[in-house]
Amino acid sequence: MRTVRSWFRDTTGGLPRAFWYLWTGTLVNRLGSFVLVFLAIYLTRERGFSPSQAGLVLGLWGVGGAVGTTVGGTLTDRWGRRPTLLTAHVGAAAMMLALGFARPLWTVAAGALLLGLFAEAARPAFGAMMIDVVPAKDRLRAFSLNYWAINLGFACAAVLAGLAAQAGYLLLFVVDAATTLVTALIIFTRVRETRTVTATVTVRTGEPGALRTILADRVFLGFVLLNLFAALVFLQHISMLPIAMGDSGLSPATYGSVIALNGVLIVAGQLFVPRLIRGRSRSHVLALASVVMGVGFGLTAFADGAWFYGLTVLIWTVGEMLNSPSNATLIAELSPAALRGRYQGVFSLSWQAAAAVGPVLGGLVREHAGNSALWLGCAVIGGLAAVAHLVSGPARERRATALRAPAAPVAVVPPAAAPAPVPAAS
C-alpha cells in the first residue's frame, strides 16, 4: 500500500492548481466527445452519404481545423490564452448544434468546416497555457496526466455514444455541445490569464517576422512534418476504420466498444509511461512508437472479426502511449517563449492537415486500391517515420538544449514598436 501511495504521490503531487482545473476541463470535454467518434457512421448510415462524401466532410473539418489552429495560435500570443479558449469553446458548442440539425450535404460540409475552425482554435491556447503553468521538470508528468484524462473521457464517450446513437444521433450533438460549454465555464471561473510579456528573443507581435522565424526553424518544421505522417496513419481510426468494420458486418455499437479499448488501455497504463521512458532517448522512443503504430494499423488489413479489430487497436494504442508524452514535452522545449502560441498552432496544424487530407486520401486508396493497400500503406509510413526520427533526433535535442540556456529577457513590443512592454491580459 505504501508503494502505491508513493507512486501516486510521485505521479500527481506538486502540480499547480491551475493545471488541475485545465485537467478537469479536459476530462469533462472528452466525456462528451461523441460526435467525431461516430461522424463517419452518422454520415454514411443516417444521412446516406457515400464513403467519399463522408471523407470530404471529415476533410473539411480538418481544413477548418487548420485555419483554426493558425488563427488560434496568433490570438493566443496577441490576445491571450484565456479569451482565446473561451471564444473557441463557445463557438464550437454553437457549431456542434448547427451540425446536428444540418441536412443537405452543403450545410453539413459548412457546419463541419466551421466546427473544425472553432474546436481546433482552442488547441494552441490550451497547449501554451499548460506550458505556462507547469515547470519544465514536471511537464512529462503533467502531459501524461492530461493525456490520461483525454482517454478516460474518450473511453467512456465511445461506449456511451454507441448507446446514445440508438436513441437518436441528435443526442450526440447536444451532449457534445453541453460538455464543451461546461469546459468553457470552468476556464472562465477558475483559470486566470497566463500569458507573460518577456521572452528570450525580440519579437514584434503581429508582424510577418514571427511567421518567418518559424518557417526558418528547420529542426522544428522537420518535427512537424514527421508528426503529419504519424497523424495521417493515426486518424484512419476515425475515418476508415468504422467503415471497414461496417463492411465486415459489425454494428456501430461494436465499433464503439472496440475503439473504447484504446481509451481503456491508456487509462490503465498511461500513468506508468513517464517512469518507463524517463531518461531514455526521445528519438528512440518516438521511433519505437512509430513502428508499433504502423504494425497495429497494418494488421487491420487482415482483421475480419471484432476480436481481431480489437487486437489491432490495442497494438497501435501502445505506440500512441509512447508517442504522446515524448511529443508533448519535445514541442514544449522547441518553442521559444514569445512564440509559444504560434509554435503550438503550427504543430497543431500538422494534425489538422492530416485531418483534412487523411479521410479523403484514405477513402480514395480504399476505393481504388482496396482495403489491404490502405492498411499496409499505414505500416510502411510508420516504418519510414521511425527511421526519420532516429536520423533527426540529435538535431532536435541540440535545439532544445540551446533554448533552455538562460538568456537576458527582453520585452515583447506591439506593432507600433513602442518601447514599453505589452501588459499581460487579466
Side-chain angles (χ1 to χ4, degrees):
M1 183 64 69
R2 182 178 300 174
T3 301
V4 173
R5 284 199 299 266
S6 175
W7 167 82
F8 186 78
R9 184 173 58 252
D10 291 343
T11 302
T12 63
L15 293 169
R17 179 178 298 179
F19 163 78
W20 289 110
Y21 287 132
L22 292 170
W23 184 90
T24 302
T26 295
L27 179 60
V28 170
N29 196 13
R30 292 293 175 162
L31 281 170
S33 58
F34 293 168
V35 170
L36 190 56
V37 177
F38 275 78
L39 187 57
I41 295 174
Y42 167 76
L43 293 173
T44 54
R45 296 196 178 188
E46 184 75 6
R47 298 271 68 88
F49 298 152
S50 69
S52 295
Q53 289 174 323
L56 174 64
V57 172
L58 288 167
L60 286 173
W61 179 310
V63 171
V67 176
T69 54
T70 303
V71 174
T74 301
L75 291 176
T76 295
D77 287 336
R78 299 188 65 189
W79 190 20
R81 281 69 156 134
R82 189 168 177 263
T84 302
L85 277 171
L86 288 172
T87 302
H89 282 315
V90 172
M95 289 301 103
M96 190 75 68
L97 291 175
L99 182 59
F101 286 103
R103 290 297 178 267
L105 177 59
W106 74 268
T107 59
V108 172
L113 179 73
L114 293 173
L115 178 57
L117 188 152
F118 280 105
E120 297 304 325
R123 190 186 294 268
F126 186 89
M129 186 172 276
M130 285 275 289
I131 298 170
D132 291 342
V133 303
V134 178
K137 64 182 179 63
D138 294 325
R139 284 175 188 157
L140 180 62
R141 290 191 299 131
F143 282 118
S144 292
L145 284 165
N146 190 66
Y147 196 63
W148 184 83
I150 288 172
N151 285 277
L152 175 60
F154 177 79
C156 296
V159 175
L160 294 175
L163 299 175
Q166 297 177 6
Y169 280 96
L170 180 60
L171 182 61
L172 304 183
F173 293 90
V174 172
V175 174
D176 208 332
T179 55
T180 302
L181 287 176
V182 171
T183 301
L185 181 63
I186 292 172
I187 294 170
F188 180 74
T189 58
R190 296 297 181 182
V191 182
R192 64 175 179 81
E193 177 57 60
T194 64
R195 182 170 64 101
T196 57
V197 297
T198 59
T200 58
V201 294
T202 300
V203 178
R204 298 183 186 277
T205 59
E207 292 187 356
L211 180 59
R212 285 199 297 267
T213 299
I214 298 175
L215 294 179
D217 192 341
R218 295 182 179 179
V219 171
F220 170 73
L221 291 180
F223 183 58
V224 171
L225 181 62
L226 285 178
N227 191 72
L228 169 63
F229 284 109
L232 283 172
V233 172
F234 179 72
L235 292 178
Q236 297 303 320
H237 82 278
I238 294 175
S239 57
M240 293 299 109
L241 181 59
I243 296 175
M245 290 183 65
D247 288 347
S248 296
L250 301 174
S251 69
T254 301
Y255 168 72
S257 299
V258 166
I259 203 65
L261 293 173
N262 169 258
V264 170
L265 181 57
I266 292 175
V267 169
Q270 187 66 44
L271 297 184
F272 298 96
V273 171
R275 181 170 293 184
L276 178 66
I277 66 176
R278 186 180 300 152
R280 300 184 185 275
S281 167
R282 279 185 292 207
S283 60
H284 290 174
V285 173
L286 289 170
L288 177 61
S290 296
V291 170
V292 175
M293 281 197 291
V295 169
F297 279 99
L299 286 174
T300 309
F302 309 102
D304 57 359
W307 72 270
F308 204 151
Y309 282 109
L311 177 62
T312 67
V313 168
L314 291 175
I315 292 172
W316 57 254
T317 296
V318 172
E320 181 190 357
M321 292 167 65
L322 294 172
N323 181 78
S324 178
S326 298
N327 244 2
T329 56
L330 189 53
I331 197 63
E333 293 185 25
L334 292 176
S335 306
L339 296 176
R340 193 165 281 164
R342 289 177 175 88
Y343 266 69
Q344 288 286 326
V346 172
F347 181 73
S348 296
L349 192 60
S350 64
W351 282 100
Q352 302 319 311
V357 175
V360 178
L361 185 61
L364 290 174
V365 172
R366 195 170 184 279
E367 286 186 14
H368 297 288
N371 187 65
S372 296
L374 170 65
W375 302 114
L376 293 177
C378 289
V380 171
I381 293 174
L384 293 176
V387 174
H389 274 301
L390 294 176
V391 173
S392 60
R396 290 197 299 260
E397 295 301 332
R398 288 194 297 269
R399 167 74 170 159
T401 300
L403 285 176
R404 285 196 301 267
V410 297
V412 178
V413 297
V422 175
S426 59

